Amino acid sequence: MISIAMNNIKKSFGVDVILEDISFTINEGERVALVGSNGTGKTTLFKIITKEVDYDLGDIFYAKDLSIGYLSQHVDIENDNTLIEEVLTVFEEVMLLEKEIRVLEHDIAEAGSLEDHDKLDRLMKQYTKKTDEFTKINGYAYNSEAKGILIGLGFKEEDLSKKVRMLSGGEKTRVMLGKLLLKKPDILLLDEPTNHLDTDSVQWLEAFLRQYRGTIFVISHDRYFLDQLTNRTFELFNKSIRVYNGNYSYYVSQREIQAELDEKAYEENLAERKRQQEVIDQLKAFGREKQVKRARSREKLLDKMDVVEKPNYMKKRAKITFEPSVKSGKDVLKARGLSKSYGERCLFQNVDLDIYRGEKIALIGANGAGKSTLFNILLGVDKSFDGDIDFGTNVYPVYFDQERDDLQPDKTVLEEVWSTYPNFTETKVRNMLGAFLFTGDEVYKLIGTLSGGEKARISLLKLMLSDSNFLFLDEPTNHLDIESKEVLEDAITNYEGTVFVISHDRYFLNKVPDQILVLEDQSVKSYLGNYDYYIEKRAAEKAALEFANQSEDTTTKTQLKIQRKKDKEKEKEEKKLKKQITETEEAIHNTELEIENLNELLCLEEIYSNPEKVKEVTEQKSDKEKILHELMSTWEMLLEAQQD
């Protein structure tokens, strides 16, 4: 069944057309990626779907009663709510209904004591309607559900009392996502959900969204994330949309094919129009009335003939190999016994590194593990460390980050590069810029008007043309659109110098490095392959360690008996815990049924017409609700114990 369908949607801002002839359908349960360069209108399209932005022409179809949840790219929560209070705002209507039910219970008891049968009858009808609604929306368990979602999102019990304005950007994103999941919308619109999340959080989000029952429509520059999650890809390009029935990697392969087809269609159309024009010219050259009439007839057909525009779908990138002007020796860097501490906190100790010419090495690790600190030590910025560092012959290291302080905002793109390398010819500079997607009049753009991705391309080009032959790159793909990431990856891959990079971009880590260094537990371990190889080897190491631990447990019969006894006790405890959870869930179900039965009793005339009976049943209902609350709390604790 179709969830959303767009037909020939057009959107302009002033005289600028952003979207034109946008047509697509998204079916229930699909996972769809929306990709395209920065500024192509991806977020605008999302806001049109959510009705935050109007469109000029076209039609949008929504499935009946479709609910939409939108996670904006910029999440900013600055109120004084605690984490749990913020999430519970999702249930404002439920909590309001709960208060109304409490008021009705009081009014019913009062009307019963006054023997006001008409009022009592009217109140009981309202009470029945509201309690039925409350039960349908799971009102008796909304608090427990909220806590369960937050714990599932990685928050701990003690985090629930934190002020949301004190949370990090990634934590706020998780809070907003938690609110969306509690709302359970039919379709999730997620705009850059992995921004500011570390690798563990992104992996958790991938697993969680794969199990989500609704439809997902996601904008992301995290290509690995898209590969893991999506099964269709929509590309916004030249104000229109193209649909690919596969994940991101499938889209990349098909995009290459599409580019070739576009080029072929253009060449064939151009050749046919040229041939027709030549025939027309020949007919006119005869000068006879019959041939002139035929020429005019052909001209009319030529005017009606479709004109295929010259495709710029895939900007041509020159295949340029960047060879440093100064070639380093084979041994680029040798470090021995590197150690760094801040007071009693040790980041790493006794780290040895050997880096050779032409290697592409990635350094990964958890946030705060010391990756940037290690970079600063190797670059000579941080001199407070233990150990020795030796650079090889003719090694000229340089640091690349996202600040772009090396660029002059009032210069054009061409001037920026040419002024740095005045000995180059204009043709050579233009060819180099073309390899980095600056073609035609784009070379006359002012640096100050460029996007972050465009500036990053200029800086990397300048570094690659310099005397430096050892690039230190700290998160080079951060905040770049996919197009810029691809340019950087191609350039770094073809670079003949040496590269040492910090990155959380798993797609980049799969494509560029030939060695992964992992900084954890105060040491560095090497894996001679890309990111997928590293994941595979880590899984094998974990399995081997578990096997070794099991083997060690069999060293003596006594140890074996002890272990078996422990295993049996653990199994017994797990069975006991599972039984307790099942029994508690049954008790919750039965108690909820008892509450519903008491609600039905209150609707009977022989009950609500008798004040004493009303009071008795109401008290019984209140007792059952207290029991239900206690059961819910017990159930939460049992689930947490099971996770531990």
Side-chain angles (χ1 to χ4, degrees), residues 36-38 221 451 453 457 477 479-486:
S37 302
N38 288 345
H221 291 143
S451 67
R457 287 186 239 148
T477 63
H479 312 301
L480 303 189
D481 58 27
I482 290 176
E483 185 179 48
S484 294
K485 288 181 181 182
E486 290 174 345

Side-chain angles (χ1 to χ4, degrees), residues 484-609:
S484 294
K485 288 181 181 182
E486 290 174 345
V487 174
L488 291 176
E489 287 165 353
D490 289 345
I492 295 169
T493 300
N494 294 324
Y495 182 59
E496 294 190 357
T498 308
V499 178
F500 196 15
V501 58
I502 295 172
S503 180
H504 285 112
D505 186 334
R506 294 166 294 167
Y507 199 94
F508 174 92
L509 292 172
N510 248 2
K511 185 174 180 180
V512 174
D514 45 40
Q515 182 180 175
I516 303 286
L517 297 182
V518 185
L519 178 55
E520 63 181 356
D521 298 330
Q522 302 176 1
S523 63
V524 171
K525 186 170 183 179
S526 172
Y527 294 85
L528 297 175
N530 63 5
Y531 183 79
D532 279 348
Y533 174 81
Y534 152 72
I535 292 295
E536 181 183 337
K537 293 297 290 184
R538 284 293 286 253
E541 289 172 358
K542 183 179 179 181
L545 182 61
E546 291 175 353
F547 178 78
N549 289 336
Q550 291 174 0
S551 298
E552 289 176 5
D553 290 338
T554 62
T555 54
T556 66
K557 291 183 179 180
T558 303
Q559 289 176 323
L560 183 60
K561 288 180 180 179
I562 293 172
Q563 186 60 45
R564 283 178 178 172
K565 185 177 180 181
K566 288 181 179 179
D567 291 343
K568 286 182 179 179
E569 288 175 353
K570 184 179 179 181
E571 185 179 352
K572 185 178 180 181
E573 286 296 322
E574 289 176 350
K575 286 182 178 179
K576 181 181 177 182
L577 186 59
K578 188 174 181 180
K579 183 180 179 183
Q580 287 176 324
I581 291 172
T582 302
E583 289 175 348
T584 304
E585 289 173 344
E586 289 178 358
I588 290 171
H589 177 68
N590 293 333
T591 304
E592 288 177 336
L593 290 177
E594 290 173 355
I595 291 172
E596 289 183 28
N597 291 334
L598 290 171
N599 286 333
E600 292 175 2
L601 280 178
L602 287 170
C603 298
L604 298 177
E605 184 178 357
E606 60 265 30
I607 300 296
Y608 68 71
S609 61

Side-chain angles (χ1 to χ4, degrees), residues 33-52:
L34 180 61
V35 300
S37 302
N38 288 345
T40 53
K42 300 187 295 295
T43 298
T44 299
L45 182 61
F46 268 23
K47 290 184 176 181
I48 288 174
I49 292 174
T50 59
K51 301 180 182 179
E52 291 183 36

Side-chain angles (χ1 to χ4, degrees), residues 107-124:
D107 292 345
I108 288 169
E110 187 178 76
S113 63
L114 296 174
E115 299 186 5
D116 188 342
H117 298 297
D118 290 339
K119 183 177 181 181
L120 193 59
D121 184 54
R122 177 171 51 82
L123 289 172
M124 288 309 305

Side-chain angles (χ1 to χ4, degrees), residues 156-172:
K156 300 184 183 300
E157 188 75 29
E158 57 266 27
D159 294 331
L160 305 187
S161 59
K162 289 181 179 178
K163 299 288 187 182
V164 291
R165 57 185 170 81
M166 303 302 292
L167 299 179
S168 68
E171 288 171 327
K172 287 180 179 179

